């Protein structure tokens, strides 16, 4: 349930409420909005909820108590009516700007990552992406450079000033990846890896949660709730396409998931047209559709020499194509009320 405090409620009133929730053995989550502070109370058994609603409603500084019927509570828009903004390094995702994350599928070597980092920065990207731990459908394909890849990403951040986002696949690697990355990515194959989600919930580093390729929006939001339930509210959603019967594209980009998530949740939403389409010729159009649908950011794969990429070459834009795309995107982003950096 969510407990909405009166506008004049003090910090002492809030503390008393939080203490009462704790005393009863439940968890509290606090959302401080522009006008109102809302306290989420989770963990109460079903049979106690009606009495609890009446109990909290009797507090003098409580304006209203509402049962949240959806299975996701903290990431629910009811808990936090204004959109959330998550900062990756110093780059806001979910504010008035459009965040553009760009870089190769995988970190391959020093020259490759430094060259592409400089190129995407020059074209206006604000966050560098690159995989060091790669989820691969085949055990024989490239698995990533591991910690060496993380070190190269950190070097590229040093050289360009771009914060970095990279995937973590295994609970055993969380601590290491978090030491290097400004944002941890959960890939589509791990959206329902609940042990990993819980571990990430114990961090305060931002997490970008990609949609499972066969997951509904409600399952996706419940996966986000796993992270939020442990106190990490720095969560970004990423629509990257879902599996359908259509073989022309690698996945089918679900553009309606963007406004749907925004209606149901306060979390920022990023779109990944690269993995959604699998084809570089389709990436610009799908990226623009995502921005028009309200995306807060884009994640785009860029490689200086796609035909030599160790992974996902067919969907990678060259630096020149990426720069042309960014120039093309600028007026569209502005028309959608989302400024591009630079
Ligand atoms: C990636 O971003 O490189 C990646 C593997 O994405 P996904 O998990 O969406 O397939
Ligand atoms: Mn990839």
């Amino acid at each position: 349930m969510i407990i909405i405090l009166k506008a004049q409620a003090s910090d002492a009133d809030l503390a008393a409420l939080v203490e009462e929730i704790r005393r009863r053995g439940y968890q509290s989550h606090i959302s401080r909005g522009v006008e109102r502070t809302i306290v989420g109370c989770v963990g109460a058994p079903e049979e106690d909820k009606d009495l609890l609603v009446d109990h909290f409603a009797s507090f003098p500084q409580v304006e209203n108590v509402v049962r949240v019927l959806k299975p996701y509570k903290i990431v629910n828009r009811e808990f936090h009516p204004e959109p959330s903004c998550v900062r990756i390094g110093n780059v806001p995702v979910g504010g008035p700007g459009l965040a553009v994350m760009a870089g190769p599928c995988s970190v391959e070597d020093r020259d490759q990552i430094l060259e592409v980092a400089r190129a995407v920065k020059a074209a206006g990207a604000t966050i560098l992406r690159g995989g060091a731990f790669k989820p691969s459908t085949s055990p024989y394909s490239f698995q990533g450079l591991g910690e060496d890849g993380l070190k190269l990403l950190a070097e590229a951040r040093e050289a360009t000033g771009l914060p970095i986002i990279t995937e973590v696949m295994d609970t055993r690697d969380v601590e290491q990846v978090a030491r290097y990355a400004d944002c941890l990515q959960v890939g589509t194959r791990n959206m329902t890896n609940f042990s990993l989600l819980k571990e990430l919930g114990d961090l305060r580093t931002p997490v970008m949660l990609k949609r499972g390729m066969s997951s509904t929006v409600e399952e996706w939001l419940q996966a986000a709730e796993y992270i939020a339930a442990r106190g990490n509210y720095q969560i970004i959603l990423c629509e990257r396409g879902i599996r359908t019967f259509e073989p022309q594209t690698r996945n089918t980009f679900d553009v309606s998931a963007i406004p749907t998530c925004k209606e149901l949740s306060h979390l920022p939403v990023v779109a990944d047209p690269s993995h959604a389409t699998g084809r570089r010729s389709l990436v610009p159009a799908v990226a623009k559709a995502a921005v028009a649908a309200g995306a807060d950011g884009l994640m785009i794969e860029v490689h200086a020499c796609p035909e030599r990429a160790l992974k996902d070459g067919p969907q990678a834009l060259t630096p020149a194509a990426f720069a042309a795309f960014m120039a093309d995107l600028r007026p569209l982003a502005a028309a959608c009320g989302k400024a591009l950096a630079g």
Side-chain angles (χ1 to χ4, degrees):
M1 69 194 60
I2 58 173
I3 304 159
I4 303 157
L5 296 182
K6 291 183 178 160
Q8 69 270 24
S10 67
D11 284 353
D13 297 321
L14 174 64
L17 181 60
V18 166
E19 172 53 22
E20 173 63 5
I21 293 171
R22 193 201 58 77
R23 200 184 60 77
R24 289 177 172 257
Y26 312 134
Q27 293 114 46
S28 57
H29 294 268
I30 300 167
S31 156
R32 287 180 191 271
V34 178
E35 295 186 353
R36 287 279 191 281
T37 294
I38 299 177
V39 179
C41 168
V42 293
E46 200 50 46
E47 63 273 19
D48 291 353
K49 283 182 180 166
D50 285 340
L51 277 175
L52 264 185
V53 167
D54 293 343
H55 174 62
F56 289 128
S58 72
F59 278 50
Q61 293 306 328
V62 167
E63 185 164 281
N64 198 10
V65 183
V66 182
R67 297 269 306 264
V68 179
L69 299 176
K70 293 269 170 46
Y72 47 90
K73 317 283 182 192
I74 308 161
V75 306
N76 199 306
R77 190 108 198 185
E78 284 185 75
F79 174 58
H80 194 287
E82 297 114 31
S84 284
C85 178
V86 174
R87 296 186 89 82
I88 299 185
N90 56 2
V91 178
V93 183
L98 185 75
V100 180
M101 312 172 179
C105 181
S106 314
V107 180
E108 298 171 3
D109 57 58
R110 174 178 282 110
D111 290 347
Q112 175 246 13
I113 190 68
L114 285 173
E115 181 182 358
V116 83
R118 291 193 174 106
V120 299
K121 173 160 186 178
T126 44
I127 298 159
L128 176 66
R129 68 143 284 146
F133 291 93
K134 292 307 302 177
S136 284
T137 304
S138 164
Y140 306 116
S141 59
F142 183 54
Q143 306 282 312
L145 297 180
E147 189 171 14
D148 288 343
L150 298 174
K151 287 182 179 159
L152 294 176
L153 280 170
E155 207 177 314
R157 170 177 53 205
E158 200 63 37
T160 59
L162 296 177
I164 54 184
I165 176 167
T166 194
E167 179 163 355
V168 60
M169 295 200 296
D170 193 309
T171 50
R172 291 168 295 187
D173 300 326
V174 167
E175 188 262 318
Q176 182 185 69
V177 180
R179 250 188 289 123
Y180 292 93
D182 300 292
C183 181
L184 297 155
Q185 176 174 323
V186 177
T188 189
R189 294 161 186 82
N190 268 320
M191 190 206 85
T192 49
N193 181 341
F194 301 118
S195 311
L196 181 63
L197 301 177
K198 286 182 191 170
E199 199 87 5
L200 296 172
D202 290 335
L203 302 179
R204 294 299 175 264
T205 311
V207 175
M208 187 172 88
L209 179 66
K210 286 192 154 193
R211 180 180 183 178
M213 60 181 89
S214 306
S215 299
T216 64
V217 166
E218 188 159 292
E219 288 161 346
W220 187 16
L221 293 173
Q222 287 183 87
E225 186 80 8
Y226 260 91
I227 303 169
R230 311 272 283 216
N232 188 355
Y233 306 145
Q234 308 303 306
I235 308 166
I236 299 164
L237 300 169
C238 176
E239 165 61 39
R240 49 78 70 202
I242 50 175
R243 285 228 159 143
T244 69
F245 50 79
E246 177 52 68
Q248 293 287 334
T249 48
R250 185 173 174 178
N251 292 285
T252 295
F253 184 67
D254 182 6
V255 73
S256 62
I258 298 167
T260 303
C261 285
K262 295 213 147 261
E263 234 172 67
L264 299 175
S265 173
H266 53 89
L267 299 179
V269 184
V270 162
D272 172 353
S274 306
H275 292 89
T277 62
R279 287 168 52 190
R280 80 171 60 84
S281 65
L282 304 180
V283 165
V286 172
K288 288 185 209 164
V291 173
D296 297 293
L298 295 169
M299 169 171 264
I300 295 182
E301 287 190 345
V302 180
H303 196 288
C305 193
E307 54 289 1
R308 286 220 291 272
L310 295 181
K311 266 186 113 59
D312 289 352
Q315 69 197 32
L317 298 185
T318 60
F322 178 68
F325 160 71
M326 289 293 280
D328 207 24
L329 183 64
R330 204 166 282 281
L332 174 76
C336 297
K338 288 272 186 192
L340 271 177

